[in-house]
Amino acid sequence: MNPTSPPSSRGFLYDIPAESDDEGYDEVIAEDVPIEGDFTFRAVAVGLGVGVILCMTNIYFGLQTGWVSMMSLQSALLGFALFKLLPHLPSLFPASRPLTPQENVVLQTTAVATGTMPLAAGLVGIIPALEMMTLKEDGRNPIKLGYWSLVAWCLAVAFFGVFLAAPLRRQVIVKEKLVFPSGTATAQLISLLHKIPPPSQSQDRQSTGRVYRRLPRTSRSVSPPGYTVGETSEDSRQGVEKDSEVMKGSGWWALGWSFFASGALTVLSFLFPIISAIPVFDVFSLPFGTSLAANWLWWFTPSLSYVGQGIIMGFPVTISMNIGMLVGWAVLSPLSKHLGWAPGPVGSTTEGARGWILWVALAIMIAESIISLLPITISSTSTLIRHYKQRSSGPRIFQPSSSPRTSNVTEDDYYDPLDEHEDDDPENEPPERLVPMSWIKAGLIASAVLGVGLVWAVFGKDGIHPWATALGLLLASMLSLIGVRALGETDLNPVSGIGKISQLLFAILQPGNVVANIIAGGVAEAGAQQAGDLMQDLKTGHLLKASPRSQFYGQMIGSLASVFVATAGYKFYTSTYEIPGPQFAVPSAGIWLNLARLLNNGHLPSHVIPFMLSFGLIFAAISALKAFKKHLPQYKWINYLPSGIAFAVGFLNAPSFSIARLIGGYIAYRTSKASPSGETPLMAIVVASGFVLGEGVLSIITLTMASFGMKAVSCFGCGIAGGGYCSGGC
């Protein structure tokens, strides 16, 4: 659409008569004028502070269950709360200048770049996997990197994904206008926090040079995630108004109390370990002096953080996870043990039932990842072919004065991989707010050379060849196109599938080398994962008119800071706790290592192959049905089929974590039923955020206590009737 077209009458772009005065309006933001001043010291400083909290939280949850989150909503919420709570610091929080929505975008962008490094650098996956290798099975001793070697590894993968994201922005966000649900939801939350008209996809699709028009106080409403402004439903309006009231006071109290409750329970669980492993499933067997359920790792952990995760995940995902838990831990685990296929201790990831069912989970994850990538691969390929034919059919025609970019625009100013045609919206940002193409080219080359050199320096000739690392980066570049598109359409970044595809390829290119297989997969996954996560932030910035260049600066600063923060956090945990161990099972590391072993040595546990093939085929079929369900609208039951990845996670995590998440999922279900909009209300999301952040932050305190040798105050109830309760605390 031509950028000079008038705005729609729907949504929040209201036409104001020329004779209207300013009475009744809260704020005026000029049209067709870029918002400046979003990259500020205070936004970056607070973003780094929030990012450090998220980074440590993600290390904690990642090592425990493999769950790592962008937490973009939590970043924006927590950053805004800090500005509300600390107005007396004039250097960072001048009372005369409130935090702007665009500053909040830069803040959360910096925080996300800082907080997601544990996954991008493989600190909850490939690094523990290298430390779990054995001379007997892998032909070499474990690789345990020191602090500076780990810093060098993190630097090797820290920036390539950032430079990958910048050039993709124009194609997938500006031209194709992919939804990027989490990025859109974050933009809606920020608009709610700052009391500005909420953005919507309808507004984005018109892509004018306008920013915001004035909105009457009586009409101003804000939308939480899931709401679309402009709906005519009275229930939807009531939901919007209700959620608008949440952040006027009650929401902040809910965030504070949920944070306090979760943190207090975390500390109490450290002091009294029985709290973290309540023997509810042995209530009938304990009087007889046995603890059958505990011997099979069945107990209940009343973790509010996992309840919060369940609220965020939603009821369908937690249902799939718990079905997987029942199949894995109540059927396959006892079966493998009693038939002698897994003779070791139940909790062992090498010889026990836990390790045996892990292979079935791996088959499910590979099958779903590959099948789910097919439709998006086909779509991406057809789009590229179509654009290539359009480009080849004739010369480009530029319309003068059609956008702010038509003057003084050079090839170096922005990335334009495909031709514009009449159905595409042009870039509506001026060149000085974009990342120049020269920076992108230089950055990709420099980060690739840095990555290849540092990986070679860290792992040497016995690890991975430089050409193999370079190929891994090239693979990341290609697969990131698929990953970003999938994320934009479904909110799911298929990085696990991308990593496994890389492992399959490198089993052929560098056979017999488990280390090279793991590292190559990690390099490819890191680039694709980072590009996808940062694209969500760029979507947020696009909707709220934040400068892409400012976001790029925040991403670079956050990624650099997180190299040192994430490394320190990981070394802190591994020096204090046994990893893998009772408290931190590191399930993601087991997946990486077992697949590498399979591809290089071909050894599988007894009788596991039929189960891998059966479950793999079942979930390949389910994934295919879900991928093409838009072509089968008459079969409504497809929507109720379980998610393969969530089902497999039920295998990977001990039952206590899945049960707590189910409670949260049920809370999300009940609150959404009671909500006029049918969506999970904002208050539930706020409480869930407090639960997750509370345990994540206070776990740093318990980690410090443990590092100084402090132990539980009382081990009462642990080991009842010889059961495995409290094995991590006493």
Side-chain angles (χ1 to χ4, degrees), residues 17-320:
E19 64 270 19
S20 296
D21 56 28
D22 288 340
E23 184 178 358
Y25 297 91
D26 283 347
E27 63 182 271
V28 177
I29 303 180
E31 297 179 13
D32 301 310
V33 178
I35 301 172
E36 303 295 342
D38 48 9
F39 184 75
T40 60
F41 174 77
R42 62 180 188 168
V44 174
V46 175
L48 287 173
V50 172
V52 169
I53 294 173
L54 300 185
C55 182
M56 297 298 291
T57 299
N58 276 333
I59 292 174
Y60 173 79
F61 290 124
L63 293 175
Q64 201 166 66
T65 66
W67 186 83
V68 172
S69 172
M70 276 183 62
M71 295 196 181
S72 51
L73 285 168
Q74 289 83 354
S75 300
L77 188 66
L78 193 56
F80 187 84
L82 288 174
F83 275 87
K84 284 288 187 182
L85 295 174
L86 303 173
H88 57 280
L89 298 179
S91 60
L92 290 178
F93 305 87
S96 60
R97 187 164 61 92
L99 181 73
T100 67
Q102 292 71 37
E103 282 183 293
N104 203 340
V105 170
V106 173
L107 184 157
Q108 70 90 24
T109 299
T110 305
V112 168
T114 309
T116 54
M117 184 58 68
L119 180 59
L123 299 181
V124 298
I126 68 170
I127 297 302
L130 294 173
E131 296 180 357
M132 292 163 58
M133 293 191 307
T134 63
L135 184 62
K136 177 182 177 182
E137 293 197 52
D138 306 303
R140 63 171 301 161
N141 291 318
I143 297 178
K144 296 189 177 183
L145 302 179
Y147 178 81
W148 290 110
S149 294
L150 199 52
V151 165
W153 159 255
C154 291
L155 282 171
V157 297
F159 305 110
F160 191 74
V162 178
F163 288 104
L164 278 179
L168 294 176
R169 169 192 168 274
R170 187 167 189 261
Q171 181 60 35
V172 299
I173 292 178
V174 179
K175 283 188 173 183
E176 298 182 33
K177 298 176 181 63
L178 298 185
V179 179
F180 288 98
S182 291
T184 300
T186 303
Q188 291 174 328
L189 176 65
I190 291 175
S191 69
L192 185 149
L193 293 171
H194 292 269
K195 299 179 182 178
I196 63 172
S200 67
Q201 282 299 109
S202 60
Q203 175 256 339
D204 181 46
R205 289 184 184 280
Q206 297 180 27
S207 192
T208 70
R210 306 171 188 271
V211 182
Y212 297 117
R213 289 183 179 268
R214 297 174 295 178
L215 188 68
R217 286 196 192 102
T218 56
S219 301
R220 177 172 296 161
S221 62
V222 283
S223 300
Y227 289 106
T228 301
V229 180
E231 291 177 348
T232 57
S233 166
E234 184 62 30
D235 285 345
S236 295
R237 288 199 183 97
Q238 291 176 5
V240 169
E241 293 171 0
K242 183 177 180 180
D243 282 339
S244 300
E245 296 294 323
V246 166
M247 302 318 299
K248 290 185 178 179
S250 60
W252 299 115
W253 280 105
L255 180 66
W257 280 110
S258 60
F259 182 95
F260 173 80
S262 181
L265 186 60
T266 302
V267 175
L268 283 174
S269 298
F270 176 82
L271 299 176
F272 303 95
I274 189 61
I275 295 176
S276 63
I278 300 176
V280 293
F281 300 105
D282 274 323
V283 64
F284 297 110
S285 61
L286 286 178
F288 301 99
T290 62
S291 52
L292 181 61
N295 293 330
W296 295 94
L297 307 186
W298 281 83
W299 52 73
F300 177 58
T301 300
S303 168
L304 292 179
S305 66
Y306 288 98
V307 173
Q309 289 178 23
I311 294 173
I312 295 170
M313 290 174 177
F315 196 45
V317 174
T318 58
I319 283 287
S320 296

Side-chain angles (χ1 to χ4, degrees), residues 65 118 153 183 224 240 319 462 535 552 616 623 677:
T65 66
W153 159 255
V240 169
I319 283 287
D462 293 331
M535 197 62 67
F552 173 77
S623 181
S677 69

Side-chain angles (χ1 to χ4, degrees), residues 694-708:
E695 181 165 338
V697 172
L698 270 295
S699 67
I700 302 173
I701 305 298
T702 59
L703 172 64
T704 305
M705 295 165 64
S707 67
F708 281 102

Side-chain angles (χ1 to χ4, degrees), residues 589-663:
I591 288 288
W592 278 100
L593 183 57
N594 279 4
L595 180 57
R597 285 171 172 170
L598 172 63
L599 295 174
N600 288 279
N601 303 320
H603 175 70
L604 285 170
S606 176
H607 292 83
V608 78
I609 293 177
F611 291 89
M612 292 178 67
L613 291 174
S614 300
F615 280 89
L617 289 172
I618 289 170
F619 281 94
I622 290 175
S623 181
L625 286 172
K626 288 190 169 187
F628 296 100
K629 67 179 180 181
K630 65 180 180 180
H631 303 294
L632 304 167
Q634 67 273 27
Y635 300 113
K636 302 294 185 183
W637 51 267
I638 294 177
N639 295 321
Y640 299 98
L641 295 174
S643 160
I645 297 296
F647 187 90
V649 169
F651 282 49
L652 299 179
N653 295 160
S656 57
F657 299 120
S658 297
I659 295 169
R661 285 168 171 163
L662 180 62
I663 294 173

